[in-house]
Amino acid sequence: MVYDPPTSSTAAQLRYLIDAVTEFIVLKDGEGRWLIANRAVIDTYELEGLDYIGMTDMDIAVFRPHLTKAFRYNLKTDEQAWAHGKALTIYKSFELDGRLNTWEVVKTPSFTSVGTRHQLVIVSRNITDRVEAEQELALKEQKYRLIAENMSDIVGTRRLDGTITYLSPSFEHQLGHTISAHINGKIGSIIHPEDVQRLQRDLILPPENRELPTTRCRLRLASGIYRWFEVSRSMIWFDDIEEYQVVFTCRDIQERVQYEQRLHRLAYEDALTGIPNRRQLLDDLSRRVQQESAFALLYLDIDHFKNINDRHGHDIGDALLTALANRLTEYLDIGDTVARIGGDEFVVVIADADHALAHAERLCSALQAPWHIENQVFHTTSSIGVALCPTDSRRVHTLLNLADQALFNAKRQGRGCVCAYSDSRRT
């Protein structure tokens, strides 16, 4: 094919744009001849002063023989991309400036209408410091469609009122929406309602004073479900239209968010029963105390639980603990909380402190109902100790200790009963 160079103005604009990014960018024709390379490539391959346009990798290797191995590798992976027929991602490592760098190389071929090779777009990213590279790209991105159209991240521009002015093709691939249906529309139409106001608050101050933070939001797919995306944004002044716009990139982080949620569950949920653990309970109690809320703290366990474990095994014991947690949850009112703090010990926080003792009596009675576990029936009782905030104390750990003391007194009174700390103190 014959290479038809762009006009001088187009070439200057393209040169400015591609030299502004740190990724390696190369455009080759179907015969492997170099058409465009950015400054990062020119510097790395020592192309300054060499008229490389129209040369193949091996043509250039004649002038840079010490890089022959790299050019041969380029040819090999170019052929792999052509054979693959679509974007091919390759990972490679090499030493750069005395440091071992790992690169992610995306080679995207395009074909003519008759199926012959047209062009090969090559984008190489140093993922050794991925975040910094992405931020650098976001700052320097201005209508750089060649790169945007070959990224999996969604790239777009929007006016300050939220009107979308550009979306990369990955918008359709990632979300399933058609681009034409959203150009000149409002970005808020696909953002989860709970995230819209938070994103808009970032844009209140004048644009020249704003450094927009990286944030997260949920975007609605064409199927109606939402996925989490990390959003990087920059205020850019566009000379041609003489206005500020927001250049944004959206990266799918659904798996990362799910992983973080799993970590949160591990940190704040009891692994056996799925209810809050001691850590989450302490956070909840601290919040209630800070808000000067009145509440009751019920400390309870299963009477003679050790005998059940010893006689029937830990599997039955675990099943009983899970069943008890479920039964406690069924008796919660709005604002109440139940947590397992260890072994067979549970804490129930009752928001209605004035009727806490009556609630505790109902729980005590409910926990005497039989348990049907693995075709066996078990009968147990539970002792409950009650402490009140602020009547007994405003300190979280003190409240727990007082409720524990009340529980001990309940066991002294014969088990299977309720004892309030205030009552036990008078006896």
Side-chain angles (χ1 to χ4, degrees):
M1 62 181 290
V2 177
Y3 172 57
D4 184 17
T7 64
S8 58
S9 59
T10 302
Q13 183 184 43
L14 180 60
R15 173 56 56 193
Y16 171 78
L17 290 173
I18 67 174
D19 283 346
V21 296
T22 57
E23 282 83 356
F24 286 13
I25 303 166
V26 177
L27 178 65
K28 299 179 183 179
D29 66 16
E31 301 298 324
R33 294 187 290 260
W34 288 44
L35 303 180
I36 298 174
N38 71 339
R39 172 54 55 184
V41 175
I42 293 172
D43 291 342
T44 300
Y45 283 96
E46 303 173 13
L47 300 180
E48 191 69 51
L50 178 64
D51 187 12
Y52 61 88
I53 300 299
M55 290 186 180
T56 66
D57 285 76
M58 297 317 297
D59 291 336
I60 299 174
V62 172
F63 297 92
R64 303 291 184 268
H66 60 289
L67 298 176
T68 298
K69 182 177 180 180
F71 286 118
R72 286 177 176 169
Y73 178 82
N74 290 345
L75 284 177
K76 177 183 176 181
T77 52
D78 285 354
E79 287 303 316
Q80 291 175 354
W82 286 116
H84 192 58
K86 55 185 179 181
L88 177 67
T89 303
I90 302 164
Y91 296 91
K92 65 178 181 178
S93 298
F94 58 88
E95 187 171 307
L96 181 64
D97 296 330
R99 180 187 179 192
L100 185 64
N101 283 246
T102 301
W103 289 74
E104 178 186 73
V105 184
V106 180
K107 300 196 173 189
T108 307
S110 62
F111 299 86
T112 65
S113 59
V114 295
T116 59
R117 297 179 178 184
H118 179 219
Q119 290 181 338
L120 183 66
V121 178
I122 304 167
V123 180
S124 302
R125 174 182 296 180
N126 187 336
I127 60 174
T128 306
D129 202 356
R130 182 188 292 269
V131 174
E132 182 177 350
E134 289 172 352
Q135 292 174 345
E136 185 71 11
L137 174 62
L139 291 173
K140 298 177 180 178
E141 181 69 44
Q142 293 191 25
K143 296 183 179 180
Y144 190 24
R145 297 176 184 267
L146 177 62
I147 302 303
E149 290 173 359
N150 290 281
M151 293 177 63
S152 60
D153 296 352
I154 299 171
V155 180
T157 57
R158 48 159 291 191
R159 295 191 178 94
L160 300 189
D161 65 0
T163 303
I164 302 173
T165 56
Y166 170 76
L167 289 168
S168 64
S170 52
F171 177 82
E172 294 187 355
H173 304 326
Q174 291 276 17
L175 303 180
H177 300 293
T178 59
I179 293 176
S180 59
H182 288 81
I183 293 296
N184 296 322
K186 297 292 185 178
I187 189 68
S189 64
I190 61 170
I191 299 176
H192 195 285
E194 296 177 0
D195 301 331
V196 171
Q197 291 186 349
R198 174 171 51 80
L199 293 174
Q200 289 177 339
R201 282 197 300 268
D202 293 338
L203 303 177
I204 294 177
L205 296 179
E208 60 270 17
N209 296 333
R210 298 301 296 160
E211 291 185 4
L212 300 179
T214 297
T215 187
R216 294 179 175 186
C217 72
R218 288 158 287 182
L219 299 182
R220 178 174 50 81
L221 277 62
S223 62
I225 66 173
Y226 285 89
R227 288 184 68 87
W228 279 100
F229 285 79
E230 181 179 72
V231 184
S232 300
R233 299 159 298 166
S234 297
M235 288 284 193
I236 301 295
W237 174 261
F238 288 90
D239 291 331
D240 54 344
I241 56 177
E242 296 187 346
E243 71 175 22
Y244 279 100
Q245 288 200 13
V246 179
V247 177
F248 61 87
T249 61
C250 303
R251 169 160 294 182
D252 189 329
I253 59 168
Q254 181 71 17
E255 292 184 0
R256 187 201 305 176
V257 171
Q258 290 174 340
Y259 177 71
E260 292 172 352
Q261 291 171 344
R262 288 196 296 270
L263 290 180
H264 183 274
R265 287 194 295 271
L266 289 174
Y268 288 94
E269 291 185 7
D270 178 57
L272 175 63
T273 62
I275 64 175
N277 60 12
R278 184 182 185 91
R279 182 176 181 179
Q280 186 167 345
L281 171 69
L282 293 176
D283 286 351
D284 177 58
L285 292 176
S286 297
R287 176 183 55 81
R288 292 174 189 263
V289 169
Q290 290 173 0
Q291 294 174 350
E292 299 185 353
S293 302
F295 61 90
L297 193 151
L298 280 55
Y299 203 125
L300 63 95
D301 64 7
I302 302 173
D303 296 328
H304 303 297
F305 178 71
K306 183 177 183 301
N307 295 339
I308 297 175
N309 257 346
D310 293 344
R311 182 176 179 181
H312 299 280
H314 290 282
D315 289 344
I316 292 295
D318 288 349
L320 176 57
L321 292 172
T322 301
L324 185 137
N326 292 336
R327 190 174 294 183
L328 288 174
T329 301
E330 292 173 359
Y331 278 80
L332 295 182
D333 292 330
I334 296 176
D336 296 346
T337 301
V338 60
R340 179 184 176 217
I341 60 175
D344 65 326
E345 296 181 341
F346 293 79
V347 168
V348 178
V349 183
I350 304 299
D352 184 5
D354 294 336
H355 300 90
L357 289 179
H359 198 137
E361 293 289 355
R362 288 196 300 272
L363 278 179
C364 189
S365 176
L367 296 178
Q368 294 178 17
W371 308 96
H372 298 272
I373 300 173
E374 296 188 7
N375 298 319
Q376 300 182 67
V377 179
F378 296 88
H379 295 272
T380 66
T381 61
S382 290
S383 302
I384 302 178
V386 181
L388 302 177
C389 178
T391 303
D392 296 326
S393 177
R394 292 182 180 273
R395 296 179 180 273
V396 171
H397 289 284
T398 301
L399 283 169
L400 286 170
N401 290 332
L402 298 181
D404 190 20
Q405 293 178 33
L407 170 61
F408 176 75
N409 288 328
K411 291 184 178 294
R412 290 176 58 187
Q413 296 175 17
R415 303 179 188 273
C417 63
V418 176
C419 181
Y421 172 74
S422 56
D423 292 337
S424 64
R425 184 174 53 181
R426 289 192 293 268
T427 59

